[in-house]
Amino acid sequence: PDNEELKGFTARLIPAQPISARFVQFKINNKRFLAVTEVEVLDALKFEPYDLRIALPDEKTTAIRVAAKSNPLIETGALVTQNLSSSTAPAMRKDAKALGEPVLEPATLHSLGAYWIISGDANKNAEIKLGYRKAGEANWNIGMPLRRVGKGHHKDEKGQSKLAVPDDAWLFAGSVLQLQPETDYELRLDLTDADGGTGSKVLKMRTRGEPKATANLASFHVMPGDGGGNGSPDNPFKGLTAAQAAAKPGMVFLLRPGIYEGTFTVTKSGEFNAPIIWRGAENGAVILDGKGKAAMRPGRAVSATDVHDVWFENLSIRNADYALVGHNSARLVIRGCKIKDVEFGITCTNNQKDVVHGWFIADNVIEGPSTWPRTKGIEDARAIQVTGTGHDICYNRIRGFADAIDTFGSVRCAAIDIYHNEISECTDDGIETDYSERNVRVWNNRLTNVFQGISTQPVFGGPIYIFRNAMYNVVGAPFKMHNSPSGALMLHNTVVKKGMPLESFPSVPVRNTVFRNNLFIGTTGNYAYESTAPMEDCDFDYDGFGGGPYGQFLKWNKERYNTIKEAREKAPVYRNAVAVDATTVFSNNTKAPDDEKTQFPMPFDLRLKPGSAAIDSGALLPGLNDKFSGQAPDLGAYESGQELPHYGPR
């Protein structure tokens, strides 16, 4: 961290824990002479290619390039020395070169994601610009460029790589956001590098549409019972087991009102255009009851593992540890269901076969056992927990769990969208993006009465996009950034809470993270933003802060800045931070909570009041806030004058 100091002829510092530093400065006084061999690279340190710059007494410098993997001395852990008169050292190429073709990830309704592996670019000045347009249109729209993933940050906690990125290459990844469903698009990736190396690729892909049943599906009737029936209106299948035995792709099972007891084990799969649909009466009169008691519940009410193209609609599911489990399953639809009296709602955490993709979880009401305020510590209860790719999790109403919606690590956890959900009374995290890799998008969610807001602990390289979420009454950190996450983009979120409006207390680094155009409103505290984490390659700016009084404005990498003005002038971040009046920032005069233990009712309208300092104070983010009104984008989740998004079931 550049703050150790050693004195003495043979002094040597060996850190107890790994540290990260942009520069290490050796200051040699006139009582000594410097030999280049005294500059060591210890085998205990992990490092990327770096520049070694020696300042001579005449203040002229000589630069030496050292490459982490091309130098055998480093690979063996031996002492690295370099004579100043040597012409060159082994190094990564400065020019960028594409390694293979860019890769499109599974589409969702509103997003398209891609990644591209680029070799060389030792000085990190290459970029990949992103353009997009609907197929057939002449003009290209500008999106946010692909993000450079930190070297090695795409590896999981065990150091295993989920993508084959060579040591002398970079991973770039990114998404086009807020697209229209069921629409053909073109994405243009333009690689540019001042040192040489260019390339342009146009990719074509169609966004996903909401799952719709085709007209030629055959309907069969089901009623509670223990067997028999042929599925006709006059002679329904009696019980789900009897119906399952006859199930084939393209069949719709219409469940008549009643209670269906015991675990429903799904064994038959549909096809992509011919799903098997289990549909209940729309008034919730069809109840799948795990037949469990609180102390002796069966594991699952619905078990749908190792299947694909199976839909569950308009069902009430209750009385089990798990409402529905879908390990190693693809293209499941859970829509319009009511889930309660369960510890876990919808679960898919096993993707050993690398087949989990394309789930659609929408318009459900999921109620759990947790109560507000938090009194039991960290609970296990989770409403939705999934892994895989290409999922849409949207328009759900969730309350009473530790976590409402979580991603989960597996052989692949990427390209997942979480949006328009109404979430409240969560005793741990409202939303977790934990163990995700890249192109996870979390937007237009509303969180009320949550212990912590949105978690990124950890994200493996990213980017993940967390934008236009509104949070009221967050007890702890609005954004939980523990376990060395890398690659999160927090954009246009609104947070209103008691105490410090932004806080983060991990002891390990937060890496390659960006904050832009957020609005943080608190009450009092030592800081408006206090962070104990070493912040590496992070870029925080254009956020608004209100409330207080705060003892100081900012604590960043152990440095303290008393006021916003001081941070603008001296801090490495927040050169364009905005002070807002918390008493007049919101159109309906919403105030920050004075007691976080209160279960505040919903909803809170956190739209901006005309004339607030949050109006026209944001930075332009292509592809995200291009359609702003006024002189510049507004801060927070809502652009002034726009209607509130729809949250929860439609």
Side-chain angles (χ1 to χ4, degrees):
D2 301 339
N3 59 3
E4 295 88 355
E5 181 176 326
L6 293 176
K7 296 180 180 179
F9 189 80
T10 59
R12 184 183 186 192
L13 172 66
I14 302 178
Q17 299 292 331
I19 63 172
S20 295
R22 294 183 177 180
F23 300 99
V24 177
Q25 184 180 66
F26 296 83
K27 184 177 181 180
I28 309 300
N29 62 31
N30 59 7
K31 295 180 181 180
R32 294 195 53 198
F33 64 90
L34 170 67
V36 179
T37 54
E38 291 180 79
V39 181
E40 298 182 342
V41 177
L42 303 179
D43 60 357
L45 297 183
K46 295 187 299 183
F47 55 90
E48 300 177 7
Y50 62 92
D51 289 316
L52 174 61
R53 294 184 291 182
I54 304 295
L56 301 177
D58 59 3
E59 297 186 354
K60 295 180 181 179
T61 62
T62 299
I64 303 172
R65 190 70 185 174
V66 182
K69 290 300 182 183
S70 61
N71 192 325
L73 294 177
I74 297 177
E75 292 176 355
T76 60
L79 177 66
V80 175
T81 65
Q82 176 66 51
N83 192 302
L84 280 175
S85 63
S86 178
S87 58
T88 59
M92 289 173 59
R93 300 189 328 271
K94 288 186 177 181
D95 61 310
K97 181 180 180 181
L99 289 181
E101 298 293 319
V103 177
L104 277 169
E105 300 196 280
T108 57
L109 269 72
H110 300 284
S111 309
L112 295 174
Y115 64 86
W116 204 357
I117 299 174
I118 305 298
S119 69
D121 191 31
N123 55 5
K124 299 195 294 186
N125 66 342
E127 62 178 348
I128 301 179
K129 296 180 179 179
L130 175 61
Y132 66 98
R133 66 185 179 188
K134 291 181 181 178
E137 290 187 346
N139 298 324
W140 292 93
N141 302 296
I142 300 175
M144 284 185 280
L146 297 194
R147 294 281 300 173
R148 181 191 301 269
V149 175
K151 185 74 71 172
H153 295 183
H154 65 288
K155 297 181 180 180
D156 65 19
E157 293 173 310
K158 297 179 181 179
Q160 300 297 313
S161 177
K162 299 187 178 187
L163 285 177
V165 181
D167 292 333
D168 63 345
W170 297 95
L171 172 64
F172 286 77
S175 295
V176 183
L177 309 169
Q178 304 177 126
L179 302 177
Q180 295 181 6
E182 293 187 284
T183 304
D184 292 313
Y185 283 92
E186 294 178 329
L187 276 61
R188 188 182 70 196
L189 306 180
D190 294 317
L191 168 64
T192 60
D193 187 349
D195 303 302
T198 60
S200 184
K201 296 289 182 180
V202 175
L203 310 174
K204 298 181 179 181
M205 197 170 188
R206 183 176 178 84
T207 50
R208 186 184 181 197
E210 289 203 29
K212 298 176 183 177
T214 56
N216 59 352
L217 300 184
S219 296
F220 297 85
H221 293 256
V222 184
M223 63 180 294
D226 295 322
N230 60 16
S232 66
D234 297 330
N235 187 21
F237 290 116
K238 295 179 177 61
L240 298 173
T241 301
Q244 178 70 203
K248 294 180 180 179
M251 297 177 68
V252 180
F253 292 95
L254 303 174
L255 278 60
R256 293 186 175 179
I259 299 176
Y260 298 75
E261 294 184 337
T263 299
F264 174 32
T265 302
V266 177
T267 59
K268 303 288 186 68
S269 294
E271 297 175 357
F272 180 73
N273 291 317
I276 296 174
I277 302 176
W278 302 90
R279 180 179 294 155
E282 292 187 6
N283 60 7
V286 175
I287 300 172
L288 306 189
D289 193 316
K291 203 179 179 179
K293 296 182 179 179
M296 298 179 62
R297 285 178 172 167
R300 306 172 181 180
V302 178
S303 180
T305 62
D306 296 295
V307 296
H308 57 84
D309 298 292
V310 182
W311 299 8
F312 304 91
E313 298 180 335
N314 304 327
L315 305 172
S316 292
I317 305 174
R318 69 187 189 190
N319 288 343
D321 284 336
Y322 295 84
L324 186 149
V325 177
H327 298 322
N328 288 311
S329 293
R331 295 190 297 274
L332 298 190
V333 173
I334 303 101
R335 178 166 47 191
C337 294
K338 294 181 173 61
I339 298 173
K340 66 178 183 178
D341 296 329
V342 297
E343 190 78 7
F344 299 88
I346 299 166
T347 302
C348 175
T349 57
N350 188 330
N351 188 25
Q352 290 181 344
K353 300 177 182 179
D354 196 14
V355 296
V356 176
H357 70 277
W359 286 41
F360 186 72
I361 304 173
D363 302 300
N364 304 288
V365 176
I366 310 177
E367 299 180 347
S370 302
T371 57
W372 191 264
R374 167 170 157 170
T375 58
K376 301 177 183 178
I378 299 177
E379 302 175 81
D380 290 331
R382 287 167 169 80
I384 298 173
Q385 190 173 32
V386 297
T387 189
T389 62
H391 309 317
D392 285 87
I393 304 172
C394 54
Y395 297 104
N396 300 287
R397 173 68 177 101
I398 301 171
R399 64 164 67 90
F401 288 88
D403 299 348
I405 302 172
D406 293 355
T407 56
F408 192 87
S410 73
V411 296
R412 200 178 313 276
C413 184
I416 298 172
D417 283 0
I418 302 169
Y419 54 98
H420 289 279
N421 298 285
E422 184 82 89
I423 294 168
S424 67
E425 290 78 62
C426 289
T427 59
D428 195 12
D429 303 328
I431 297 173
E432 283 189 358
T433 61
D434 299 4
Y435 310 106
S436 61
E437 299 159 46
R438 66 196 161 271
N439 291 327
V440 170
R441 286 83 46 159
V442 179
W443 81 94
N444 278 4
N445 301 283
R446 184 162 58 185
L447 289 68
T448 308
N449 306 325
V450 295
F451 193 78
Q452 303 197 83
I454 299 175
S455 171
T456 62
Q457 61 160 38
V459 168
F460 298 127
I464 64 168
Y465 301 82
I466 298 173
F467 62 99
R468 296 208 182 277
N469 301 284
M471 309 182 210
Y472 188 88
N473 195 29
V474 182
V475 176
F479 301 105
K480 188 165 71 172
M481 299 179 286
H482 299 176
N483 298 342
S484 289
S486 174
L489 310 180
M490 318 298 193
L491 316 170
H492 276 295
N493 301 285
T494 295
V495 175
V496 183
K497 64 185 293 290
K498 180 184 177 182
M500 290 188 295
L502 184 57
E503 58 186 60
S504 183
F505 299 127
S507 59
V508 293
V510 174
R511 305 170 297 174
N512 206 22
T513 294
V514 174
F515 275 49
R516 281 291 187 278
N517 300 354
N518 302 289
L519 179 60
F520 298 105
I521 304 297
T523 54
T524 60
N526 293 332
Y527 300 89
Y529 176 28
E530 180 180 8
S531 172
T532 61
M535 309 298 281
E536 299 179 1
D537 296 322
C538 293
D539 183 3
F540 287 32
D541 207 353
Y542 287 94
D543 291 342
F545 293 86
Y550 304 114
Q552 294 177 290
F553 171 62
L554 174 65
K555 182 180 179 181
W556 179 275
N557 279 347
K558 299 183 181 180
E559 296 294 330
R560 295 169 173 83
Y561 304 91
N562 287 321
T563 63
I564 283 185
K565 182 177 183 295
E566 184 179 359
R568 287 177 181 150
E569 294 172 350
K570 299 179 181 180
V573 292
Y574 284 133
R575 294 301 180 92
N576 297 280
V578 179
V580 302
D581 184 347
T583 64
T584 60
V585 65
F586 299 121
S587 60
N588 63 351
N589 297 319
T590 296
K591 301 296 189 296
D594 54 9
D595 182 4
E596 70 273 18
K597 295 181 180 180
T598 300
Q599 183 171 324
F600 289 94
M602 299 168 52
F604 278 90
D605 187 346
L606 301 180
R607 287 178 290 182
L608 301 175
K609 177 178 288 188
S612 165
I615 301 290
D616 293 346
S617 292
L620 178 63
L621 304 173
L624 180 63
N625 61 13
D626 313 79
K627 298 179 181 180
F628 64 86
S629 58
Q631 301 300 312
D634 300 336
L635 302 184
Y638 309 117
E639 183 71 14
S640 179
Q642 293 184 354
E643 294 295 321
L644 282 175
H646 185 96
Y647 300 105
R650 293 164 292 183

